[in-house]
Amino acid sequence: MLWREAEHEPVTERFWTGGWAQEALEEIVADAEAAASPEGEWPFHPRDDEGDGEVWSGLYVGSAGMAWALWKLGSPFDAAGAVAQALARYRKTPDLRDDPHPPSLLCGETGILVAAERMGSPAADRERLRELIHANRAHPTWELLWGSPGTMLAARAVGLDDEWRESAQLLWKRWDTDTDLWTQRVGDHEVQWLGPGHGLASNVNALRGFVAEDVLRERTARVLARLAMHDDGLVNWPPAPDDDKIRVQWCHGAPGILITIGDLLPWELALAAGELTWRAGPLRKGPGLCHGTAGNGYAFLRLYALTGDALWLDRARRFAVHAVGQVRREREAVGRGRYSLFTGDIGVALYLRACLDADPAFPVIDEL
């Protein structure tokens, strides 16, 4: 099998209506607004593996990500002020104290600054942002979370074209011509990841506009056809060529690859990846973006955009209904919401908006 049944659950039988979806979106937003402290902070959720009293500041699970999402959703919350407070807090106490790596996008200072720039915060500092992007151009991870593919997205979002091209040139040179993969060095380990969380898919996406589309398409299709796992008309990919773990998530596995570079895949692979995501069902891990039901649902929105087939939009919306049910069940069990962009409830609100608009753009990766 291409997925572990124990990690998934049957999709809800409840059907979507636009009015219900809008109410659910507003419910999540209102809860997030009410949970913010006067300092623009949100409490960590037990499932985010941090102790009580911990406050993080970055995009991935920190307050800058919450502020950015509320801003994108049109909330009256003072997102610009919250991101300024997040930046000051991060500079005093970095999120990852053993390895703060301030230039990175999702867990570092770059992400906070690009959010500040986009929402017109008084904390915006274009020159500091330029310095960080330049400093990160050759980080040895060569992936989205820590490396230049992430800070390239920041450069592109705010029009720092020279810095984006400088990073793109180095990233392009590191794309191995024998394996069609990048080698990521994380700590003492070297790996070759495929998914957008840490590998090929997000790297290829970051090179759009720098490398000709036909070259991206040829190399991407070649490596993903070679490494695809097939069964009964379905397809999935391992996290890395030598990794026997099976994942069906945004960060690793078919959904994330389809979401990020599905337009570069052969049709048969793209459709088989979408069908796998549907048959596997929503993730028991939770409703969020990185490794949850909402994140996987963006695969259906991508296929709807590519094919125009309303089946995929219907499936996306069924996943949205299921994700809202997961949000409500977990809130009842824990006594409060989960306040983070990539693992929490606000990602579901963004997904609801995407399903209302039939918009496949994935948060941060496709729009900042």
Side-chain angles (χ1 to χ4, degrees):
M1 292 294 291
L2 301 183
W3 72 91
R4 294 185 178 91
E5 291 189 6
E7 295 177 357
H8 299 265
E9 56 193 30
V11 68
T12 181
E13 293 297 323
R14 179 171 183 171
F15 282 86
W16 162 285
T17 68
W20 174 89
Q22 184 62 40
E23 289 177 4
L25 188 162
E26 291 171 1
E27 172 189 312
I28 294 171
V29 168
D31 180 65
E33 292 168 343
S37 73
E39 296 75 32
E41 301 172 352
W42 284 267
F44 252 102
H45 192 274
R47 291 180 65 183
D48 283 320
D49 298 326
E50 295 297 326
D52 290 340
E54 283 280 354
V55 175
W56 279 22
S57 306
L59 284 182
Y60 185 82
V61 293
S63 52
M66 288 293 299
W68 177 86
L70 289 171
W71 170 72
K72 292 294 289 186
L73 291 164
S75 168
F77 177 79
D78 181 14
V83 81
Q85 291 173 306
L87 180 63
R89 188 166 54 250
Y90 180 89
R91 287 173 172 170
K92 181 179 179 181
T93 308
D95 289 350
L96 297 172
R97 292 160 205 178
D98 293 335
D99 180 19
H101 187 46
S104 68
L105 177 69
L106 292 182
C107 295
E109 188 178 342
T110 294
I112 305 171
L113 277 172
V114 76
E117 178 84 12
R118 295 288 289 130
M119 64 182 64
S121 170
D125 184 341
R126 195 174 181 83
E127 288 310 307
R128 173 62 175 164
L129 186 54
R130 188 192 308 273
E131 292 170 5
L132 290 170
I133 294 166
H134 177 78
N136 207 46
R137 68 196 185 281
H139 192 267
T141 54
W142 301 108
E143 50 85 73
L144 176 72
L145 189 72
W146 300 115
S148 63
T151 45
M152 285 169 65
L153 298 183
R156 192 154 55 190
V158 300
L160 292 175
D161 295 338
D162 290 344
E163 286 70 23
W164 171 73
R165 290 192 187 92
E166 179 187 32
S167 292
Q169 181 65 45
L170 294 172
L171 183 64
W172 167 243
K173 288 181 178 179
R174 297 288 301 197
W175 196 358
D176 183 67
T177 55
D178 292 329
T179 64
D180 288 315
L181 293 167
W182 280 267
T183 298
Q184 286 84 26
R185 184 166 186 82
V186 181
D188 296 328
H189 303 285
E190 287 190 347
V191 293
Q192 292 181 314
W193 280 306
L194 302 181
H198 297 286
L200 172 85
S202 55
N203 293 14
V204 169
N205 186 54
L207 287 173
R208 293 180 190 269
F210 183 81
V211 177
E213 183 176 328
D214 60 338
V215 175
L216 292 179
R217 185 181 304 278
E218 178 186 0
R219 295 190 66 176
T220 299
R222 183 168 63 214
V223 66
L224 291 179
R226 173 168 57 87
L227 296 174
M229 304 180 297
H230 296 268
D231 185 26
D232 192 24
L234 309 178
V235 69
N236 199 1
W237 287 273
D242 57 352
D243 193 337
D244 60 0
K245 295 184 179 70
I246 297 175
R247 296 287 183 269
V248 184
Q249 302 174 173
W250 169 78
C251 47
H252 295 295
I257 288 173
L258 180 54
I259 289 162
T260 313
I261 52 174
D263 59 313
L264 301 176
L265 292 176
W267 278 112
E268 63 272 17
L269 287 183
L271 292 171
E275 190 63 32
L276 168 94
T277 305
W278 174 252
R279 289 201 209 171
L283 282 158
R284 293 187 187 275
K285 287 183 179 180
L289 295 176
C290 183
H291 35 261
T293 300
N296 282 16
Y298 275 95
F300 307 134
L301 291 177
R302 179 65 64 194
L303 279 173
Y304 177 63
L306 290 171
T307 67
D309 186 343
L311 168 71
W312 298 111
L313 180 58
D314 175 68
R315 288 178 169 183
R317 289 172 169 173
R318 290 284 298 280
F319 264 44
V321 176
H322 194 98
V324 170
Q326 289 178 305
V327 167
R328 289 171 174 168
R329 289 195 300 272
E330 191 157 312
R331 187 186 301 155
E332 183 176 348
V334 177
R336 58 180 170 83
R338 190 173 183 177
Y339 307 111
S340 68
L341 174 55
F342 271 80
T343 65
D345 304 349
I346 203 69
V348 178
L350 290 166
Y351 180 55
L352 285 165
R353 170 52 56 198
C355 286
L356 284 164
D357 296 340
D359 181 0
F362 196 86
V364 176
I365 312 308
D366 292 320
E367 59 176 4
L368 263 168

